[in-house]
Amino acid sequence: MNWRALFKPSAKYSIIVLIIVGVILGVVGYFATQQTLHATSTDAFCMSCHSNHSLKDEVLASAHGGGNAGVTVQCQDCHLPHGPVDYLIKKIIVSKDLYGFIMIDDFNTQAWLDENRKEQADLALKYFKSNDSANCRHCHTRIYENQPEGMKKMAKKMHENNFKKAPEDRKTCVDCHKGVAHPYPKK
Ligand code: HEC
Ligand code: HEC
Ligand code: HEC
Ligand code: HEC
């Protein structure tokens, strides 16, 4: 085979056609990857490792699963980022869970969760604090501006006062709201 032919313009197909084919393959590949990642982001996927933990029941018992509006917020809505690049990076961090799943004795038992709840909760909170609770703000878009009529007076006031501060002095959602989906442990 004449390797140099690979680097020469193709005789049979014009460069333009090759570029178009390349772009199509790229787009198909991108969506295939997204689909695979998406399949790994359902509650069922999360609960495959956390199957003996009360996490899903807790969500269902909270305002995020048991409200009158019939909305059940999914694990990934809160715990995984929305942008594709950030999403991939978090996935890779989450893959440390695979190691933990294999290495931590009795991980998938309620006793383990009860015992380690505080430490795990604070690890989870780190993510929310790292991006100013972006996942919360993705749904709750009218906390600081254009607030709904019905928002409690006290809530409105707290939110407004927070928003008046310089951005670096503001609190983030989870500073004030812990335990919105799982009971936040006292100690
Ligand atoms: C491969 C098994 C596995 C899967 C799948 C899995 N987890 Fe976990 N998860 C773990 C283990 C193990 C830990 C404890 C990790 C540690 O402390 O090292 C953990 C800890 C956590 C924590 C607390 C610690 C932290 O770093 O935030 C959260 C939140 C979490 N998982 C959410 C999820 C969500 C959401 C999904 C679905 C997108 C999911 N998990 C899927 C095994 C898994
Ligand atoms: C997928 C959308 C979605 C996401 C993500 C989300 N929420 Fe909510 N949240 C809701 C809905 C829907 C309700 C119920 C509204 C109602 O009762 O009418 C709610 C209710 C609430 C309430 C009032 C009920 C209560 O538990 O006191 C608070 C506070 C709250 N959310 C905070 C948060 C915080 C903090 C986060 C991020 C950790 C978050 N939410 C993430 C949709 C979401
Ligand atoms: C400085 C503390 C503080 C911050 C920061 C904060 N909240 Fe609140 N929020 C409160 C208080 C206090 C209430 C009223 C008490 C309650 O209902 O829990 C409240 C109430 C709410 C309610 C219920 C409103 C109602 O009328 O029932 C929602 C939803 C909510 N907050 C979401 C958020 C979200 C999302 C963020 C981040 C964008 C956020 N809050 C940031 C203190 C805060
Ligand atoms: C409405 C947003 C929301 C939803 C939905 C949600 N979580 Fe969480 N999760 C949080 C927050 C916020 C924390 C940090 C601790 C706290 O405030 O309670 C947390 C903490 C955790 C922890 C650490 C241990 C603990 O109890 O604090 C695990 C594990 C976890 N979540 C897994 C899940 C799984 C699995 C699902 C889906 C069945 C899920 N979460 C759904 C917001 C959410």
Side-chain angles (χ1 to χ4, degrees):
M1 156 137 204
N2 179 2
W3 290 99
R4 240 178 285 170
L6 280 180
F7 299 100
K8 282 201 208 136
S10 165
K12 216 161 162 196
Y13 304 103
S14 76
I15 293 292
I16 290 293
V17 169
L18 290 179
I19 288 173
I20 290 171
V21 170
V23 168
I24 292 172
L25 284 178
V27 169
V28 168
Y30 175 80
F31 282 105
T33 316
Q34 286 295 305
Q35 280 302 319
T36 315
L37 285 170
H38 206 80
T40 61
S41 298
T42 60
D43 280 1
F45 169 70
C46 304
M47 293 310 288
S48 63
C49 287
H50 291 277
S51 60
N52 294 317
H53 295 158
S54 50
L55 299 159
K56 178 86 194 172
D57 294 337
E58 291 159 7
V59 174
L60 289 173
S62 78
H64 288 104
N68 297 332
V71 176
T72 300
V73 180
Q74 305 289 294
C75 314
Q76 72 270 14
D77 291 336
C78 283
H79 286 289
L80 294 175
H82 288 279
V85 176
D86 294 345
Y87 188 77
L88 265 174
I89 293 171
K90 180 111 206 279
K91 277 289 188 195
I92 291 161
I93 297 172
V94 165
S95 66
K96 89 171 182 347
D97 289 1
L98 189 58
Y99 178 78
F101 187 73
I102 297 163
M103 298 305 287
I104 301 172
D105 284 344
D106 301 327
F107 166 74
N108 195 9
T109 61
Q110 187 62 27
W112 184 89
L113 183 63
D114 292 343
E115 186 113 326
N116 294 278
R117 180 82 83 159
K118 178 78 165 85
E119 182 197 83
Q120 293 293 309
D122 289 340
L123 277 174
L125 284 171
K126 238 195 217 164
Y127 166 67
F128 293 100
K129 290 183 185 184
S130 75
N131 61 12
D132 191 15
S133 309
N135 293 61
C136 314
R137 290 185 291 108
H138 188 83
C139 287
H140 292 276
T141 53
R142 294 169 61 193
I143 295 297
Y144 295 128
E145 290 172 299
N146 191 22
Q147 294 153 317
E149 284 279 313
M151 187 186 277
K152 284 184 210 143
K153 270 213 179 83
M154 150 90 142
K156 224 176 211 171
K157 201 168 186 162
M158 291 297 279
H159 294 153
E160 275 165 7
N161 284 344
N162 188 48
F163 197 60
K164 269 191 225 142
K165 293 184 184 151
E168 64 274 16
D169 296 332
R170 275 179 211 154
K171 293 202 155 129
T172 192
C173 312
V174 298
D175 287 330
C176 296
H177 296 284
K178 290 195 175 54
V180 294
H182 326 279
Y184 184 73
K186 296 238 153 47
K187 61 179 176 73

